[in-house]
Amino acid sequence: MEALSEQFLEFHPNHGTNIRLDHSGTQATRVESFANGVCFSKYPLKPGEIFLIEIEEKELGWCGHLRVGLTAWDPTSLEAVPEYSIPDLMELGDSWVFAITRNHNKVVEEAQVQEAGGGELGVGRRLGRGEEGDGVQEDEGGGSNSKPKTFFTDTHLYIDSVRIPRDKLVGRSRPGRFSHILDDLYKTNALPPTARRSRIGVLYVPRSDRTADMHIVINGEDMGASAKGIPASRPLYAVVDVFAATKCVRIVQVEYGFSSLQTLCRKAIQKHIVHRMAIDWLQLPEALKHYCKYE
């Protein structure tokens, strides 16, 4: 199943008191403190549709990072957005939210635990739900959830019956002299989950019993079913908590079907230049240059 999303994804106008959205509704910045940064998708997600964000700015000095998930609450119905997604929003019920950590985000399934001789851990134990021992000094270099991979040979990421185009799932470097080298490093998933330019997405995969599993995707890698048995009869909204060391995030639009004319033009421009720095030399509007360099 391939999700067909024709809507332009935005953040909901009802959000935490410390959040400021840009004019497009796709960039959320926490302007004060470390909390009150809970955001929602403007519309419910469709089955298999990923809500993908990129970490644009960090703020050192805080312990903890981005939190993502799903909620069956319509953001419009919330008189006051909870201060924290964990535990405040989850205590309202019908919400499934997890903290992204630097090193431990994968789900350990029962079969994997038994094979490793660790049956006492229980079923579906998720590593890294807490914040303990998770530093905030990392940036674009250093560890990841797994060993670096070779350049992606598959055009799509497959999660059960869902397939998602890979081209947007891994972040890109800031335009610079060595952008082409850094981009290759990012594509091999050498980027820590909590670093700037890291891309994190959440989606739900429907099951035959009318429930759904929530999956978190970090830099092109599926972390497994972070929550199972979610009732899929109600609309499900994405939750993004711009918490602590994460200061600013931006929504990345994913194209599931044919590429848009805008994307085709961008690819044509990129194909005929040496690297992204050369875009600045072209006689193009600044907005188009920015789009070509970053996407």
Side-chain angles (χ1 to χ4, degrees), residues 2 41 51 63 98 101 108 123-125 146 156 158 173 194 260:
E2 185 165 347
S41 59
F51 192 84
C63 181
F98 294 95
T101 67
V108 178
V123 179
R125 180 175 182 268
S146 62
H156 290 76
Y158 292 88
S173 65
T194 57
S260 65

Side-chain angles (χ1 to χ4, degrees), residues 26 42 53 79 89 99 106 109 178 189 203 250 259 265:
T26 62
K42 187 173 183 178
I53 58 97
E79 293 184 6
L89 179 63
K106 280 220 169 196
E109 298 292 348
F178 303 107
N189 200 11
L203 70 150
R250 176 178 62 89
S259 298
C265 290

Side-chain angles (χ1 to χ4, degrees), residues 56-115:
E56 287 211 321
E57 190 175 346
K58 303 291 295 298
E59 184 173 19
L60 300 181
W62 299 114
C63 181
H65 301 283
L66 188 74
R67 297 163 173 185
V68 298
L70 298 171
T71 183
W73 286 92
D74 183 342
T76 307
S77 67
L78 297 174
E79 293 184 6
V81 175
E83 184 176 5
Y84 303 99
S85 57
I86 303 174
D88 298 2
L89 179 63
M90 293 183 66
E91 287 179 349
L92 294 178
D94 295 327
S95 298
W96 305 265
V97 184
F98 294 95
I100 303 301
T101 67
R102 178 182 171 87
N103 296 311
H104 303 293
N105 298 289
K106 280 220 169 196
V107 174
V108 178
E109 298 292 348
E110 180 182 21
Q112 294 173 310
V113 172
Q114 291 177 349
E115 288 176 3

Side-chain angles (χ1 to χ4, degrees), residues 1-3 47-49 157-164 203-206 256:
M1 177 183 71
E2 185 165 347
E49 179 182 29
L157 171 66
Y158 292 88
I159 304 176
D160 294 336
S161 60
V162 172
R163 66 176 199 160
I164 307 168
L203 70 150
Y204 69 91
V205 179
Y256 296 88

Side-chain angles (χ1 to χ4, degrees), residues 190-261:
L191 191 64
T194 57
R196 285 187 298 127
R197 313 258 73 83
S198 179
R199 292 188 175 183
I200 299 169
V202 61
L203 70 150
Y204 69 91
V205 179
R207 315 299 299 180
S208 58
D209 60 356
R210 296 186 179 181
T211 65
D213 295 344
M214 182 179 80
H215 286 252
I216 294 174
V217 176
I218 300 178
N219 292 322
E221 184 179 5
D222 174 28
M223 297 294 106
S226 299
K228 294 184 176 181
I230 296 175
S233 57
R234 295 172 60 184
L236 295 173
Y237 294 80
V239 178
V240 177
D241 191 351
V242 187
F243 177 72
T246 304
K247 184 175 180 63
C248 179
V249 299
R250 176 178 62 89
I251 298 174
V252 179
Q253 308 295 332
V254 178
E255 296 175 330
Y256 296 88
F258 293 107
S259 298
S260 65
L261 179 60

Side-chain angles (χ1 to χ4, degrees), residues 11 28 45 83 140 225 240:
F11 287 114
L45 298 183
E83 184 176 5
E140 280 85 353
V240 177

